[in-house]
Amino acid sequence: MNNLHSPVIVPGQTIGIIGGGQLGRMMAIAAKAMGFRVAVLDPTPNGPCAQVADIEIIGAYDDTEKLQELADPSDVITFEFENISSPALNWLSDYAYLPQGSALLRISQNRIAEKTALKSSGVEVAPYCVIQTLEELAIGVEKIGFPCVLKTARGGYDGKGQLVIKNRIDLSRASDLIQSNVCVLEAWVPYVKEISVILTRKADGECTCFPIAENIHQDNILAQTIVPARISEKAAEEATKQAMMLAEKLEVVGTLAVEMFLTEEDKVIMNELAPRPHNSGHFTLDACETSQFEQHIRAICNWPLGSTELLKPVVMMNLLGQHMENAITTIPHSLGWKYHIYGKKEAAFNRKMGHINILHRNTEEALMQIEKSRLWKTPLNT
């Protein structure tokens, strides 16, 4: 619903959020600070978002009765992640104000549709082909070469639903993935950095970008985000330019995360889109004049967008389940560290439980603090 005459949602009105995880929680906290009421729909009771919301609705994301129950008190509705039924959102748009629509969500839910949309927008993606059988995989590998990455077209996150294929022996490990999924085979990009651009756009075309984030993953899970990214000015300008072009062509409303690879030659290769606030944008909560969550609320409520100025260099560190015990013990000794804990009951291994923003006069000193803390015992490639 990209309507240039979108209504202005004002304090006292209600924002409905589909999805009750940590992104919904941080959206809700931003919305409450701005004077809004918050309703949330999630299948799990007392989730991170429900703990700070005014109205909790327990139900499946594609349950039209529950979606109607969310729509009834809500003056605008948004979502916190991609695994929502786009047909259900289409149905919901007839009963509620849904400024983001469902088109971009539908694209981001399917890697084939996503890559098609990226190429059509004029940006570069890694060579790829669609795989449905082991025979097609063999042909695809001959075409693309080793190493390459096999990914399920739908679903998968934090490395799930993916297989790196380095040689012919690895091909035998792909059968389970292919038998139950349509897949995409991508060429391995010889990148030197993984970066992301977090931007926010309104229906009238107003658009802002946050400082570019440099992302470091461990076991396919984001471990740390470094801002400012340690990249050239040329690369930063190109990444921002391409992200802004994508936002315009895809008619984005709200916050969009554009994940990219950066090669040694400063070439930007697009990887994935996320049409909502993103883990790599959590640094904005403490290090920017406006956070990605406040900016998202501003966009869907048709308020002027805030300044995205970086106030201080920052390193964001994810807290996974295995870090939580140490994280609690470091609190008395971590001067200036900004803790954000998500309110999840079970601290399971590799489950995102929170994050810490470490602000310093430069990121190298922040990284030294992290190393000395020993909180994250598994070494990170910094």
Side-chain angles (χ1 to χ4, degrees), residues 329-358:
T329 62
T330 63
I331 290 174
H333 316 291
S334 52
L335 183 65
W337 289 21
K338 306 292 187 178
Y339 285 73
H340 298 267
I341 308 301
Y342 302 150
K344 298 178 181 179
K345 290 183 179 179
E346 184 183 355
F349 183 80
N350 277 355
R351 188 184 192 195
K352 292 174 183 173
M353 301 298 295
H355 69 271
I356 299 175
N357 285 330
I358 301 168

Side-chain angles (χ1 to χ4, degrees), residues 60-312:
Y61 304 128
D62 59 354
D63 184 330
T64 53
E65 288 188 9
K66 294 298 181 179
L67 286 169
Q68 183 65 65
E69 192 176 337
L70 178 70
D72 287 343
S74 298
D75 298 285
V76 61
I77 291 180
T78 185
F79 46 83
E80 66 137 15
F81 73 144
E82 291 93 322
N83 295 327
I84 301 167
S85 164
S86 53
L89 280 189
N90 282 333
W91 177 89
L92 182 61
S93 65
D94 290 334
Y95 300 93
Y97 175 44
L98 190 69
Q100 292 162 273
S102 61
L104 183 53
L105 180 79
R106 185 172 62 252
I107 289 170
S108 67
Q109 287 175 334
N110 187 301
R111 287 190 170 93
I112 300 169
E114 184 177 67
K115 290 187 179 300
T116 302
L118 288 171
K119 287 185 71 176
S120 299
S121 298
V123 300
E124 186 172 351
V125 299
Y128 72 97
C129 53
V130 178
I131 304 295
Q132 299 187 65
T133 66
L134 288 172
E135 291 75 17
E136 289 179 348
L137 177 61
I139 295 169
V141 167
E142 287 296 324
K143 177 181 176 182
I144 289 177
F146 297 113
C148 50
V149 186
L150 186 68
K151 301 178 180 179
T152 56
R154 298 184 67 88
Y157 63 95
D158 289 343
K160 298 177 177 66
Q162 299 186 20
L163 174 65
V164 177
I165 300 175
K166 298 178 181 179
N167 49 51
R168 295 196 178 279
I169 296 174
D170 289 338
L171 290 174
S172 62
R173 299 164 52 209
S175 58
D176 288 345
L177 209 59
I178 292 174
Q179 284 176 3
S180 53
N181 301 279
V182 177
C183 295
V184 174
L185 185 70
E186 298 178 8
W188 180 267
V189 176
Y191 63 89
V192 293
K193 301 273 188 187
E194 292 181 84
I195 60 175
S196 58
V197 177
I198 311 293
L199 59 83
T200 311
R201 184 178 180 273
K202 291 173 57 182
D204 64 4
E206 181 186 358
C207 190
T208 60
C209 276
F210 289 95
I212 294 175
E214 175 186 345
N215 301 314
I216 295 173
H217 291 78
Q218 182 174 296
D219 298 329
N220 295 308
I221 299 173
L222 182 63
Q224 64 183 210
T225 294
I226 300 168
V227 182
R230 298 170 295 184
I231 61 177
S232 70
E233 186 176 337
K234 172 189 171 185
E237 288 177 356
E238 185 61 24
T240 301
K241 175 185 173 183
Q242 292 200 25
M244 296 280 277
M245 180 178 70
L246 274 174
E248 186 67 27
K249 292 195 174 183
L250 296 174
E251 297 186 303
V252 170
V253 175
T255 295
L256 174 72
V258 186
E259 297 181 82
M260 312 173 184
F261 298 121
L262 183 66
T263 70
E264 195 170 1
E265 298 78 24
D266 269 355
K267 181 185 289 188
V268 173
I269 309 293
M270 294 292 160
N271 182 26
E272 292 181 345
L273 303 175
R276 37 77 178 172
H278 192 258
N279 195 175
S280 68
H282 289 352
F283 72 92
T284 64
L285 281 164
D286 301 298
C288 291
E289 187 169 324
T290 307
S291 78
Q292 64 167 341
F293 300 100
E294 179 185 339
Q295 199 79 311
H296 181 74
I297 297 299
R298 284 176 169 271
I300 64 169
C301 292
N302 204 25
W303 288 26
L305 298 180
S307 167
T308 58
E309 179 184 356
L310 184 70
L311 304 177
K312 202 170 188 179

